[in-house]
Amino acid sequence: TETQPPVTNLSVSIENLCTVKWTWNPPEGASPNCSLWYFSHFGNKQDKKIAPETHRSKEVALNERICLQVGSQCSTNESDNPSILVEKCTSPPEGDPESAVTELQCVSHNLSYMKCTWLPGRNTSPDTNYTLSYWHSSLGKIHQCENISREGQHITCSFTLTKVNDSSSDPQSVQVMVKDNAGKIRPSFHIVPLTSRVQPDPPHIKRLFFQHGDLYVLGKNPQNFISTCLSYQVEVNNSQTETHYILSVEEPTCDSSEFEENLEGTICFRVPRVLRDTLNTVRMRVKTNKLCYEDDKLWSNWSPAMSIGKKTNPTLYITMLLIIPIIVAGAIIVLLLYLKRLKIIIFPPIPDPGKIFKEMFGDQNDDTLHWKKYDIYEKQIKEETDSVVLIENLKRTSQ
Ligand SMILES: *[C@@H]1O[C@H](CO)[C@@H](O)[C@H](O)[C@H]1NC(C)=O
Ligand SMILES: *[C@@H]1O[C@H](CO)[C@@H](O)[C@H](O)[C@H]1NC(C)=O
Ligand SMILES: *[C@@H]1O[C@H](CO)[C@@H](O)[C@H](O)[C@H]1NC(C)=O
Ligand SMILES: *[C@@H]1O[C@H](CO)[C@@H](O)[C@H](O)[C@H]1NC(C)=O
Ligand SMILES: *[C@@H]1O[C@H](CO)[C@@H](O)[C@H](O)[C@H]1NC(C)=O
Ligand SMILES: *[C@@H]1O[C@H](CO)[C@@H](O)[C@H](O)[C@H]1NC(C)=O
């Protein structure tokens, strides 16, 4: 295995926004018995590759220059002696590095649109007019993002992703470049894989019900997402105990045989230990998981809340609070009165001799009245008997 001559005409070009393509020609004067292979790697020996093609490309955020080294050899063996390596680099972006925007980030919402945000660079005038360009493999050409707006310190722009087809086997990504339309700031590049930084729409709660002492929550996944790619949180707030309870679920499943319901397209959660007769407010949210996505950090917003159970009426509560002491007080009074009467029955009052004496000989007036009454009664009886005697006497004389 002899050393081959180096490759010729190595050149570099940039396609789209961040697709860097190196091309070269076969070496001149290579051995006719040699079947040529090309060994290449990026600066500091990254991504070594041995291939028969005379080109290589890579998607890179071109915020710094990137170099490729290429050599030729006669076998696929890496330890084989390659030719002298030839190097070609991209040119770094032009402009003052301090003028470039910072913290350029993009989040894919609901897999239907992407929102990018950034902060102005340090050496920029406040009235800089930014432009955002983006490209992905389903677009024929580079697009400009419309409607750049400010959100506090940040500048943002959103664009739709509806045309991205994920049928291709390659992991797809979106290339983004931010600069200004006067060409005064250094351009910033960003590459966003479609499987990272995905924030789903919130899910929806369809129904809540109690069964066998457990709370069941039936819901619906956000559009564009399937259950195996999501993690869930169900929040239950109890208004009476003022408790706040969060259930984290990786796989939403209930034993559907427990209730007759078609769970097709429905996610189901069983929440144990929920107080049934009080008001419970339930919300849920989702995030992507590592099974399908690179990120598992971005929670969706909370779903609209749904409530189950009776609300304890606060006015009723206050009335009860007022009425109960009154009832208790009344009961105590009645009890005391009853006890007094009971005491009289059990312990009759000891006769007071003085009082009895007074009753017998006391108060003259009272007594005379008594006697007078008696007189009248006596007189009446006497008169009646007299008249009877008179009538009898008359009868006897007539006979
Ligand atoms: C290198 O490129 C030049 C012009 O593009 C061409 O004339 C020459 O033949 C190329 N060399 C090889 C080895 O292909
Ligand atoms: C190429 O291989 C053939 C047979 O294997 C041999 O006869 C010939 O000398 C070789 N040529 C060179 C340049 O090595
Ligand atoms: C590669 O080359 C080394 C020595 O040059 C040899 O020991 C090794 O077996 C070779 N490997 C293959 C896969 O041919
Ligand atoms: C989520 O994506 C679907 C389909 O791509 C779309 O119909 C829906 O409007 C999107 N939701 C939001 C809130 O943008
Ligand atoms: C940005 O645009 C506005 C209006 O289009 C213009 O008045 C302003 O001068 C521009 N700023 C720069 C730095 O070019
Ligand atoms: C539930 O309680 C927590 C903690 O008190 C609170 O942050 C959250 O907003 C409550 N949820 C609802 C739907 O009120």
Side-chain angles (χ1 to χ4, degrees):
T1 57
E2 68 201 276
T3 307
Q4 297 299 311
V7 299
T8 56
N9 283 358
L10 175 61
S11 64
V12 65
S13 62
I14 293 162
E15 291 171 3
N16 315 317
L17 288 168
C18 299
T19 313
V20 187
K21 192 168 185 184
W22 286 268
T23 55
W24 58 88
N25 288 348
E28 277 171 340
S31 156
N33 281 2
C34 172
S35 62
L36 281 167
W37 291 78
Y38 301 99
F39 168 75
S40 62
H41 64 71
F42 294 99
N44 55 28
K45 308 227 157 69
Q46 294 291 300
D47 278 340
K48 287 177 187 170
K49 187 176 174 183
I50 295 170
E53 294 92 37
T54 56
H55 55 87
R56 186 168 177 185
S57 52
K58 187 178 169 71
E59 231 177 7
V60 268
L62 289 166
N63 297 314
E64 280 152 28
R65 66 179 209 153
I66 180 160
C67 300
L68 185 75
Q69 297 191 330
V70 189
S72 59
Q73 60 183 47
C74 291
S75 77
T76 58
N77 193 336
E78 204 203 302
S79 50
D80 197 4
N81 262 7
S83 70
I84 295 165
L85 297 180
V86 185
E87 185 183 67
K88 191 78 186 176
C89 302
T90 62
S91 43
E94 284 170 16
D96 177 8
E98 294 283 287
S99 67
V101 302
T102 56
E103 291 181 37
L104 175 55
Q105 289 186 339
C106 299
V107 172
S108 157
H109 291 266
N110 178 35
L111 294 177
S112 64
Y113 71 95
M114 183 165 277
K115 180 177 177 180
C116 297
T117 63
W118 63 89
L119 285 170
R122 258 184 285 169
N123 286 354
T124 40
S125 73
D127 66 343
T128 302
N129 295 314
Y130 294 95
T131 62
L132 183 144
S133 314
Y134 63 96
W135 180 89
H136 53 79
S137 62
S138 307
L139 295 177
K141 60 182 179 68
I142 295 167
H143 283 60
Q144 296 285 321
C145 185
E146 317 277 337
N147 306 327
I148 291 186
S149 59
R150 285 183 183 266
E151 274 179 17
Q153 288 267 294
H154 287 85
I155 301 152
T156 79
C157 198
S158 301
F159 52 90
T160 58
L161 290 174
T162 43
K163 282 184 195 148
V164 180
N165 66 55
D166 34 12
S167 56
S168 104
S169 55
D170 292 340
Q172 299 232 357
S173 43
V174 181
Q175 302 178 1
V176 171
M177 178 181 70
V178 177
K179 56 177 192 171
D180 70 324
N181 55 13
K184 280 184 186 158
I185 67 166
R186 182 187 175 125
S188 291
F189 297 88
H190 192 41
I191 292 174
V192 197
L194 279 181
T195 54
S196 78
R197 303 202 46 90
V198 174
Q199 186 184 37
D201 270 359
H204 275 272
I205 299 175
K206 295 208 294 197
R207 204 154 78 79
L208 303 171
F209 61 94
F210 279 99
Q211 184 139 331
H212 307 311
D214 294 328
L215 175 65
Y216 283 83
V217 181
L218 298 186
K220 196 167 172 295
N221 277 328
Q223 253 180 322
N224 307 342
F225 294 89
I226 55 167
S227 294
T228 46
C229 294
L230 296 173
S231 307
Y232 300 81
Q233 273 189 345
V234 179
E235 179 201 64
V236 180
N237 281 13
N238 187 287
S239 67
Q240 197 198 350
T241 56
E242 291 189 347
T243 49
H244 168 65
Y245 176 62
I246 286 191
L247 180 76
S248 294
V249 186
E250 291 303 322
E251 261 181 87
T253 45
C254 299
D255 187 1
S256 61
S257 63
E258 285 193 22
F259 40 90
E260 277 154 32
E261 185 134 11
N262 183 14
L263 287 181
E264 193 72 37
T266 300
I267 43 175
C268 177
F269 306 88
R270 188 175 62 87
V271 191
R273 298 185 302 276
V274 175
L275 284 176
R276 191 190 174 124
D277 292 323
T278 53
L279 185 73
N280 294 289
T281 307
V282 183
R283 295 191 299 182
M284 57 193 264
R285 62 179 182 174
V286 297
K287 65 177 182 178
T288 56
N289 65 19
K290 285 272 174 86
L291 280 177
C292 310
Y293 297 91
E294 282 166 41
D295 257 14
D296 57 355
K297 303 279 186 297
L298 285 172
W299 283 106
S300 73
N301 290 329
W302 287 104
S303 70
M306 194 181 264
S307 297
I308 187 169
K310 280 181 294 251
K311 192 176 167 69
T312 43
N313 192 341
T315 53
L316 184 75
Y317 195 69
I318 290 165
T319 349
M320 291 297 271
L321 223 64
L322 288 174
I323 282 176
I324 286 173
I326 292 170
I327 290 174
V328 169
I332 289 170
I333 290 166
V334 167
L335 196 71
L336 285 176
L337 287 173
Y338 180 71
L339 277 178
K340 201 171 177 190
R341 193 178 280 180
L342 211 64
K343 205 175 128 197
I344 293 167
I345 291 167
I346 297 170
F347 312 105
I350 300 158
D352 182 351
K355 208 175 171 188
I356 294 169
F357 193 76
K358 209 176 177 186
E359 262 172 25
M360 282 175 96
F361 303 101
D363 223 327
Q364 285 290 310
N365 287 342
D366 230 335
D367 257 24
T368 42
L369 197 74
H370 190 80
W371 288 119
K372 267 179 193 158
K373 253 191 194 155
Y374 185 71
D375 272 359
I376 292 160
Y377 181 64
E378 197 98 304
K379 218 190 249 172
Q380 222 174 354
I381 293 209
K382 211 176 169 213
E383 269 170 11
E384 268 170 41
T385 25
D386 281 357
S387 53
V388 170
V389 170
L390 189 72
I391 288 164
E392 239 156 4
N393 284 347
L394 279 173
K395 270 184 183 166
R396 212 172 282 156
T397 48
S398 66
Q399 273 177 359

